Amino acid sequence: MTATKLDMFEKFKENGIDRNYDDSFALICENMEIQIGQGRFIYFLDPNYAMDTTKGARYENLTPAYWKILDRGLEQLKYPAEEVTNSFCKSCNAVLDSLILLIRRVEEKLDPCDSHREKQKIWLKRMRKCPAQSFEEAIQRLLFVNQMFWQTDHRLTGLGAWDSYLFPYYESDIQKGNLNKEKALEILKDLYRILHENYKYKSNVLMGDTGQIFVLGKSEPGGGYVCNELTYLFIEAMKEVQQSEPKCLLRVNRKTPRELLELALASITTGIGAPLLANDDVVIPQLLEFGIEEEDAYEYMTSACWEPLIGGKSVSQNNMTVLNYLKALDNLLKRERLENIASFEEFISVYLIYLKRNLRAVKRVLSSLRYQYDPLLSVFMEDCYKQKKDASWGGARYRHFGVTSVAMGDTVDALFNIREYVFEKKKCTLYDVKQMLILNFEGKEELRKELKERPSRYGTDDEDVVALVNRITSCVAEEIDGFSSYQGGRLKVGLSGAAYMDAARSFGASFNGRKAGEPFTVHISNEDNDGFTEIINFVSELEYGSARFNGNVVDLMVSPDFIYKNWEKFVDFLMICIRKGFFEMQMNVVSSKTLLEAREHPEDFPNLIVRVWGFSAYFKDLPREYQDVLIKRALKNEGMPS
């Protein structure tokens, strides 16, 4: 940051920048560096000018109402003078005035002698007062909104349903003869490239963790499926560009056209790991049960990776913390009088008590959170304008919290091992188990190896396994029921989480043979299975109601050769999976051989993309431990020793 920029920001910090949003936002728009590239669209970020986020929580993991800028100009988003009745209305108008100022600055930056820029000048002028009039102009407006959210430090900003937003403009240009599919594909490829340019700056915890995700396709009431030519073109552009950014989620149902699933699989099989599939037949009923209005439930998007979210109407924060299912088991073994537990059923009952205690601690923390005043976000949230209330004041329609989770697989396997070794075969006592875990299996290596080599029960369609998982998640649902945030939001939970590595680093051993610090099970997965059918049967029996829909991803490792040799059957498999009822599904389609070579010789694989958490990333950008987990999973999937 230059001295001049620093001085200006220090001035606002002294005055309380969090209480002087209008001035700080104006400062950004007046002084951020404008960069005009050579491409089709104007899109730039200046990292030196971002909002101060040190005084309160900042909204992230959300998707703004991009569509608000398409059928009107920025001037039309302002409150008329007679309707400016509170400080929020004044802030919204001030924000829009600052955006208009920024657009004028961009116009002045364009070379007046460059005929190539004439079209862009027209787009910018119309953005102030008029609706968008063409496909490219509409894209430029969406990009402008997106860049301003990144500029104001809204991390993990989603992209939303651009195939829906843009289709009227695409169709109109096609009818006028100004556009064809081939040109539209090239435009979308340029769109992907420009969104990819700043992926390092946009990345959150890991490189590639940006939250930039297009949501394509959707269902309609009655079970029909809605897609259009742009749905196909967005996936085709992603497949051809072959970048880690941006990502894509394809919403599917049992009426999704086979050719769309084939295109999605063709994209996944290139190795980019996208699109992620979300099953509307399962997701939408859970949204409706939770209280999401029907018209909104059918328009759901995702928050960052996979957590369902209502774009433009929701400031729900879906990655608030991580529920570690092993923690309650660890606490039980270390704190309870184990000699008083006489049966496995009693042991499970005590485990659930400890689980509820952990959840109460989570609720205490979340209930105390407060968010920063945020007029830019509120301008692009439908209900904030109508209610004249900022998002931080409760102006958005949906204001819930979401919790992700880790180690359910490790917990389930550990519990079944305890049932067998302690209560059925009586090979050891609960006290012995406690000592083994405290000592990290020191002196018990043979038993640890025996536990480690046992096939995982988690992910199998064993009735006992399914019943245990549903019993545990029902306990969670019961405990979080009735939670209310300061804005009246509820709490929801899911069976997927990004912290299977981070949360495991400082966590002790577990009775599935996992040593202290080793990674937890990844999402809903089981590489021990000989086929994929069993894990789909498993997830189809899981219960997602009662607020248990905050992301439930089946994470498959698949060899490219397997798909290529069984193409038609694999497409059939996907269609069967949708009917069976998975919640969400993602795939890593890569061989262990490729991963091993890429780990040892990254210079030979600069563009190798893999699926991590709920996003795609370059393999070379990942920490070694994440590379090792992917390699281990691929080896297990291929039936090879790891």
Side-chain angles (χ1 to χ4, degrees), residues 89-102:
C89 298
K90 294 176 183 177
S91 288
C92 285
N93 284 2
V95 162
L96 290 162
D97 284 337
S98 295
L99 291 175
I100 291 167
L101 170 65
L102 175 60

Side-chain angles (χ1 to χ4, degrees), residues 400-632:
H400 307 300
F401 285 155
V403 173
T404 59
S405 66
V406 294
M408 175 63 90
D410 303 273
T411 301
V412 167
D413 287 342
L415 288 171
F416 277 110
N417 286 340
I418 287 171
R419 184 180 75 171
E420 179 179 340
Y421 281 72
V422 175
F423 294 103
E424 293 178 349
K425 296 184 178 179
K426 302 188 185 302
K427 289 186 175 181
C428 56
T429 66
L430 288 174
Y431 182 79
D432 294 332
V433 173
K434 170 184 176 178
Q435 288 298 105
M436 279 185 265
L437 301 186
I438 290 174
L439 297 175
N440 201 22
F441 291 103
E442 184 179 337
K444 298 289 183 179
E445 183 58 32
E446 287 188 14
L447 178 57
R448 189 199 71 82
K449 185 177 180 182
E450 180 181 324
L451 294 171
K452 192 77 171 176
E453 292 177 351
R454 290 168 65 88
S456 174
R457 301 288 297 275
Y458 189 64
T460 65
D461 56 1
D462 184 307
E463 290 183 3
D464 286 350
V465 176
V466 172
L468 180 58
V469 174
N470 285 335
R471 183 176 178 184
I472 292 172
T473 62
S474 293
C475 172
V476 173
E478 178 184 329
E479 181 59 38
I480 65 176
D481 185 40
F483 169 86
S484 180
S485 71
Y486 83 101
Q487 294 184 350
R490 296 172 60 192
L491 188 57
K492 49 188 174 167
V493 68
L495 276 178
S496 301
Y500 56 81
M501 191 80 71
D502 290 344
R505 285 194 192 98
S506 58
F507 201 82
S510 50
F511 203 61
N512 59 336
R514 183 191 144 274
K515 296 192 76 171
E518 291 183 352
F520 295 138
T521 304
V522 178
H523 308 318
I524 306 173
S525 60
N526 186 349
E527 280 75 47
D528 292 332
N529 288 339
D530 293 328
F532 303 114
T533 303
E534 186 167 28
I535 195 167
I536 297 303
N537 290 338
F538 169 74
V539 298
S540 68
E541 296 297 325
L542 296 182
E543 296 171 359
Y544 303 113
S546 301
R548 288 172 283 180
F549 64 91
N550 195 47
N552 298 282
V553 182
V554 181
D555 193 298
L556 302 179
M557 293 291 300
V558 191
S559 160
D561 288 344
F562 180 83
I563 292 182
Y564 292 140
K565 292 176 182 177
N566 300 278
W567 182 264
E568 293 299 326
K569 290 182 179 179
F570 206 88
V571 177
D572 291 339
F573 167 72
L574 290 180
M575 298 181 76
I576 292 170
C577 290
I578 294 169
R579 291 196 295 272
K580 288 284 291 184
F582 70 84
F583 193 94
E584 293 157 330
M585 178 190 291
Q586 68 180 20
M587 284 179 258
N588 257 304
V589 183
V590 62
S591 69
S592 60
K593 180 176 182 294
T594 298
L595 293 176
L596 285 164
E597 291 177 356
R599 185 179 65 183
E600 300 308 316
H601 303 285
E603 68 280 1
D604 295 335
F605 298 86
N607 299 314
L608 176 62
I609 299 171
V610 292
R611 193 76 179 174
V612 187
W613 301 352
F615 63 89
S616 299
Y618 292 110
F619 188 73
K620 63 179 174 58
D621 287 343
L622 295 176
R624 175 68 177 245
E625 57 189 344
Y626 282 91
Q627 295 179 348
D628 291 346
V629 166
L630 286 165
I631 290 170
K632 183 178 179 180

Side-chain angles (χ1 to χ4, degrees), residues 323-324 327-328 331 354-362:
L323 174 62
N324 178 353
K327 185 175 181 180
N331 288 342
Y354 276 87
L355 181 60
K356 287 187 174 184
R357 290 176 183 171
N358 291 347
L359 286 162
R360 287 169 196 150
V362 168

